[in-house]
Amino acid sequence: MKYCPQCKADIHVQMIDGEERRACSVSCGFVFWDNPTPVVAVVVETPEGVVLAHNKLWPAGKYSIITGFLERGETPEVCALRETEEELGLRAKSAEFIGFELFDGKGFNGHEYNQIIIGFYVYAEGVITLDENELDEYKIIPVEKLKGWGSATGKIVQRWLDQKNA
C-alpha cells in the first residue's frame, strides 16, 4: 500500500503503539493495522480416508486440505461445512474444532500472507465433485498413512491426528 485509501496521501512507516505500522503521512487518522485474515481449513474424512486437493494456482504435486475464507456473518463451523460442499460437493452434518495456526509468510504463489488458520474436522460420504473454478485434482489418503507437514494446514492435520490417536 503506497497511498492512503482515505485521503490519497503517501503512506509511511511510523511507530504506533510501540510497533512499526504503515500510516497516513498527513495524519488523517488512517493506520493499516495488517490484522490477520481468518481462514478455515477442513480435514475432510471419507470412508476411504482424508481428502487432499490441488488448487489450480499451486505448483504441480502440491496438495492440501480444504480451505476457505469466512464470509460476513458466518461462523467458522458453518464456513467449514460450506467449503466442504462448495469445493468437494460433499455434505457434512457437523464440524468439530481442531485448533488454530498462524500463517504469516509466503504461499506457493510467492505472495505474502497474514492469516489465522482455524482448523475443523468433518466426516462426509458421497461422490466427490470438485469445484472446477478452484480445484483440478484430489487424492484420498488412508488415515493410517496420513502425516502432517510444515505449513499451517499441515500442522492442523497433525493436531487432528494427535487428537485422534490420543
Side-chain angles (χ1 to χ4, degrees):
M1 179 177 299
K2 286 180 73 172
Y3 303 104
C4 176
Q6 292 180 170
C7 73
K8 299 184 178 46
D10 290 340
I11 293 289
H12 290 254
V13 175
Q14 303 174 33
M15 288 300 290
I16 299 173
D17 296 337
E19 298 281 335
E20 286 190 353
R21 307 273 186 196
R22 291 179 277 172
C24 181
S25 61
V26 297
S27 301
C28 78
F30 176 78
V31 177
F32 179 62
W33 295 103
D34 197 22
N35 294 326
T37 303
V39 174
V40 169
V42 190
V43 175
V44 179
E45 184 180 16
T46 69
E48 295 81 31
V50 172
V51 180
L52 300 180
H54 178 262
N55 187 300
K56 290 180 175 184
L57 301 176
W58 295 346
K62 299 289 185 183
Y63 290 79
S64 188
I65 55 179
I66 300 306
T67 59
F69 294 103
L70 281 170
E71 294 183 359
R72 180 182 292 271
E74 184 177 56
T75 66
E77 294 88 348
V78 169
C79 179
L81 297 171
R82 176 183 55 77
E83 288 293 341
T84 300
E85 186 171 355
E86 282 180 7
E87 294 192 16
L88 299 177
L90 299 176
R91 286 194 173 193
K93 293 182 178 165
S94 65
E96 297 173 25
F97 178 68
I98 297 170
F100 66 88
E101 293 288 337
L102 298 177
F103 178 42
D104 187 10
K106 288 190 179 189
F108 292 138
N109 58 8
H111 291 127
E112 288 285 332
Y113 290 94
N114 178 16
Q115 300 174 336
I116 182 164
I117 309 297
I118 309 166
F120 285 89
Y121 162 78
V122 303
Y123 180 83
E125 295 182 11
V127 177
I128 294 175
T129 306
L130 294 179
D131 173 2
E132 293 181 5
N133 294 319
E134 194 170 341
L135 306 174
D136 58 3
E137 292 182 85
Y138 74 92
K139 58 185 175 180
I140 298 178
I141 307 297
V143 173
E144 62 275 4
K145 292 186 178 181
L146 184 66
K147 295 178 183 171
W149 52 92
S151 72
T153 53
K155 291 175 183 175
I156 293 291
V157 168
Q158 190 59 56
R159 188 178 295 200
W160 175 72
L161 289 167
D162 292 345
Q163 291 170 1
K164 185 174 179 64
N165 295 324

